[in-house]
Amino acid sequence: MDTLLALAPAALGAGFVAIAVTIDLLFKDRVYYWYGGMDRDHSKEHPNEYLRWSVIERGKQEGYAIFDFGGAGRPDQVYGVRDFKAKFGGDLVGY
């Protein structure tokens, strides 16, 4: 299993600072979202969306067939994380 670390940069003075990060696991034909976070001061810039899409595109370019977001909560309960994940399309798979 390999890992992929991705950062969302933002300009800060003369340089850049990471405003979001994601760690994804690469195994067989899948990219698994593992962990991520962002600086909430930059939430209006949507760095998490940028990172998700970048990782999905890179996975596809490198031959991975599936991006697995992981859990989506119970279908009969409100769960904001599921709404975030749904923005990227794909299928909700129950286990």
Side-chain angles (χ1 to χ4, degrees):
M1 182 174 301
D2 292 317
T3 58
L4 172 65
L5 172 67
L7 302 172
L12 181 66
F16 288 90
V17 62
I19 59 172
V21 62
T22 182
I23 299 171
D24 300 281
L25 305 177
L26 311 172
F27 185 68
K28 295 186 179 180
D29 67 340
R30 295 176 185 236
V31 177
Y32 295 92
Y33 169 73
W34 188 251
Y35 196 77
M38 71 168 192
D39 181 339
R40 290 190 183 271
D41 290 341
H42 294 274
S43 63
K44 291 182 181 178
E45 298 165 49
H46 306 285
N48 284 333
E49 286 87 341
Y50 166 77
L51 284 179
R52 282 297 105 233
W53 193 249
S54 296
V55 170
I56 290 169
E57 283 186 325
R58 181 173 172 185
K60 184 174 180 177
Q61 291 170 355
E62 293 184 13
Y64 292 92
I66 297 171
F67 179 86
D68 191 334
F69 267 110
R74 296 176 187 253
D76 58 338
Q77 296 178 357
V78 176
Y79 188 57
V81 175
R82 180 177 45 244
D83 296 337
F84 172 80
K85 294 173 181 181
K87 292 191 287 187
F88 296 90
D91 299 318
L92 178 62
V93 178
Y95 290 96

